Amino acid sequence: MPYRKISDRECVIQAINEFTELGQVAFLGKYKGGRALRYFLLYEGQQYNCRSILCAAYAHQFKHPIPRRQMNDPKNSISDVLKRLGFDVLDNRADNVTSGVFKDMPH
């Protein structure tokens, strides 16, 4: 599951900055993501599509996109990666925010 390989919090922040620069439509088009319906990354008062942000973060960290056939990780693993990197994740259906605690991973 390629999302779990993401270990660099700064790559997630770079992806968030890219989302802001490109805008939602262009960003989602570039990273083949649809609009989020349930899970959102919360960062500095804004909500972001978890899957697309992680696709971009993966590309920033590993210098190539996630292979298309490997993009469908279970939603829990996506939110688990973000929480492990210290980000907050909103489950829109449960109206629940879970906070992450950054845990440095061995390289």
Side-chain angles (χ1 to χ4, degrees):
M1 297 188 177
Y3 293 111
R4 293 185 184 187
K5 294 179 184 178
I6 299 169
S7 60
D8 189 343
R9 177 181 166 84
E10 190 58 37
C11 288
V12 176
I13 294 171
Q14 289 173 5
I16 291 168
N17 291 336
E18 184 179 6
F19 180 101
T20 301
E21 290 172 16
L22 294 177
Q24 182 180 28
V25 173
F27 184 85
L28 295 179
K30 180 176 181 180
Y31 291 103
K32 310 297 185 234
R35 283 185 129 81
L37 300 175
R38 182 170 182 183
Y39 294 98
F40 295 90
L41 164 65
L42 302 177
Y43 185 74
E44 295 185 349
Q46 300 295 315
Q47 295 181 7
Y48 301 91
N49 179 312
C50 290
R51 186 181 310 272
S52 294
I53 290 292
L54 282 184
C55 284
Y58 185 95
H60 286 287
Q61 184 170 342
F62 299 105
K63 310 303 182 220
H64 61 85
I66 292 176
R68 186 91 176 131
R69 68 186 184 283
Q70 295 180 5
M71 287 179 70
N72 291 324
D73 273 2
K75 297 207 181 337
N76 287 346
S77 70
I78 292 169
S79 63
D80 289 346
V81 169
L82 290 167
K83 288 185 281 187
R84 175 177 41 82
L85 294 172
F87 294 98
D88 295 338
V89 177
L90 168 67
D91 180 343
N92 209 24
R93 288 189 191 153
D95 198 25
N96 182 31
V97 175
T98 52
S99 296
V101 176
F102 179 64
K103 298 174 186 166
D104 200 11
M105 293 184 55
H107 295 279

